[in-house]
Amino acid sequence: MKRIKIVMLACLVLLSATTNVWAQTESGIKIVKPGDRRNMGLGKNTIIVEITGVDPRDVTWQVLVDSELITTVTNGGTTADIDLTRPTGPRRIRVVMFDKQNREIASNEILVIAAPIQPQEPIFNREVMAQAMGVFVVIVVGLLIGAFVVSRRVRNQPIHSIPGAPKQ
């Protein structure tokens, strides 16, 4: 009985020592994708943010491109789709996070270069290359096994029994 009381007391101490994880860190929002000073294609793009210090469901955040409001996220999500249709050039993307009372609590800003990006075809087809490498490995292993078998047979025969060798 005494052990049970000690274990229960230890559990209570551990539970009282733990606090809310969000209360331990400062509230913040950071743009994860795209990266700062990176190229960004014209047209549809996705902004991915990281929210710290608060539950994402308890905040609202906005995406502004060149100080123009593009979209507002209220559902606790960490992604937002934007459409860059203006001509190419540098763009400032800013995200601003608000609490339930609509007070700004954090923001983050990056600079990207908006430019048309042409889709690129891969240099080689990975599926075909994987099959070719598999065939290559099988051939090399077969050659190694064949060389081992032949070398064992040759070692067990005297030198003069090699075909084409002069007989003594």
Side-chain angles (χ1 to χ4, degrees):
M1 188 69 173
K2 187 176 182 180
R3 286 186 180 179
I4 294 174
K5 288 182 180 179
I6 291 173
V7 169
M8 287 177 57
L9 182 62
C11 289
L12 287 173
V13 169
L14 286 174
L15 284 173
S16 67
T18 59
T19 59
N20 186 346
V21 173
W22 289 311
Q24 295 176 356
T25 59
E26 188 176 322
S27 300
I29 188 167
K30 180 181 178 193
I31 300 172
V32 177
K33 179 186 174 201
D36 191 23
R37 311 229 187 267
R38 300 284 187 225
N39 290 339
M40 191 171 189
L42 292 177
K44 300 276 184 197
N45 290 284
T46 301
I47 303 292
I48 301 174
V49 298
E50 176 182 55
I51 297 173
T52 55
V54 293
D55 187 351
R57 294 173 297 210
D58 294 339
V59 296
T60 299
W61 57 278
Q62 297 177 340
V63 178
L64 296 98
V65 176
D66 296 332
S67 300
E68 180 182 325
L69 178 63
I70 302 297
T71 187
T72 301
V73 179
T74 59
N75 61 0
T78 56
T79 62
D81 292 326
I82 64 169
D83 191 8
L84 294 178
T85 56
R86 286 205 228 158
T88 61
R91 299 280 178 266
R92 291 201 179 280
I93 298 177
R94 184 169 188 247
V95 291
V96 181
M97 186 168 62
F98 300 94
D99 62 9
K100 288 185 177 184
Q101 289 76 30
N102 210 25
R103 292 182 303 224
E104 181 178 329
I105 54 176
S107 67
N108 183 234
E109 184 175 296
I110 64 170
L111 178 68
V112 296
I113 305 300
I117 297 176
Q118 300 295 327
Q120 296 180 350
E121 296 295 323
I123 296 172
F124 61 90
N125 187 335
R126 291 181 189 268
E127 289 81 22
V128 172
M129 188 64 158
Q131 292 172 355
M133 289 304 294
V135 169
F136 177 74
V137 167
V138 168
I139 290 171
V140 168
V141 169
L143 287 172
L144 290 173
I145 291 172
F148 177 74
V149 168
V150 169
S151 71
R152 300 273 300 170
R153 285 187 184 169
V154 170
R155 270 191 263 148
N156 292 335
Q157 296 177 0
I159 295 289
H160 66 275
S161 65
I162 296 176
K167 295 195 178 199
Q168 296 177 347

